[in-house]
Amino acid sequence: QRANELCQVALHIAEKECRRAVDTYKRSQKNAKSVAPPAVMNAVSYATVDLSAALSALAAIRTEQGAGAEAERHLRRRVNVLTKGDLASVLATFAPVRLELVEALRGLGGHLQTLYAQTLPAGQEGIEMQEEIERLMKQADELERSRCAPSSVFPDVEAPALDGQAEESSEAT
């Protein structure tokens, strides 16, 4: 219980830091009318990684507590924080974010694989779950091998702008 409370606090702090870094990025883009300074981009990338790590820790705690569905929700949010939003394609050029994304994809895939083994869903549900697991693992492998932005691995990742990330990181858990 105490670990869960501490993790919730860490998640809240990480969300605030991520929003603050994204807001700083927006201001620097507006003021400079060009590419954000490296220090600003580093701050955004590390804040995103911290938020992802907090979600991962919370998912691990929920898994230990037997709350698999809630753990899955945190793991899916972790992947979304790293792949959705207007900054996703820019952030994925930073090594720490790329590494975190590979780990997030594998973490979600592994969680779903465990869930599949425990429940053995039949029919279309089982097929869809297996396909999602394979897709996640394949995306992780491709991203790890490639030097490109995730748009080649995640076709729905858009060009940089930013509003989606702030909304994604501010969702309540």
Side-chain angles (χ1 to χ4, degrees):
Q1 182 63 28
R2 182 74 176 137
N4 182 46
E5 291 169 2
L6 291 173
C7 204
Q8 289 286 354
V9 169
L11 178 62
H12 179 72
I13 292 168
E15 287 172 332
K16 284 177 66 175
E17 287 302 312
C18 196
R19 278 192 303 274
R20 184 177 296 136
V22 166
D23 289 344
T24 301
Y25 173 84
K26 284 181 180 180
R27 281 193 308 278
S28 75
Q29 287 293 86
K30 184 189 275 185
N31 294 338
K33 302 279 189 220
S34 64
V35 177
V40 172
M41 289 309 299
N42 280 337
V44 174
S45 70
Y46 284 111
T48 302
V49 168
D50 289 346
L51 177 56
S52 175
L55 288 165
S56 176
L58 197 53
I61 290 169
R62 290 297 189 219
T63 299
E64 283 182 22
Q65 294 173 338
E70 194 173 337
E72 180 182 341
R73 186 172 59 86
H74 291 305
L75 292 170
R76 287 188 186 281
R77 182 167 175 227
R78 178 184 184 204
V79 170
N80 285 339
V81 161
L82 296 164
T83 61
K84 304 288 187 223
D86 302 326
L87 271 185
S89 62
V90 173
L91 288 175
T93 62
F94 288 77
V97 176
R98 289 174 63 85
L99 249 165
E100 189 71 18
L101 178 53
V102 169
E103 290 175 17
L105 292 167
R106 288 193 176 129
L108 178 57
H111 178 79
L112 293 176
Q113 185 66 44
T114 301
L115 187 62
Y116 180 84
Q118 290 171 348
T119 61
L120 295 174
Q124 188 63 29
E125 182 184 359
I127 293 169
E128 288 173 2
M129 192 177 236
Q130 276 299 104
E131 288 174 350
E132 182 177 13
I133 292 166
E134 290 172 12
R135 180 182 52 79
L136 289 166
M137 296 305 191
K138 182 180 176 189
Q139 286 175 330
D141 291 343
E142 288 175 6
L143 190 59
E144 188 173 52
R145 282 192 307 268
S146 74
R147 296 264 183 223
C148 60
S151 57
S152 64
V153 180
F154 299 95
D156 58 339
V157 170
E158 300 168 6
L162 196 56
D163 294 334
Q165 175 135 8
E167 293 169 8
E168 191 66 41
S169 65
S170 65
E171 287 179 6
T173 55

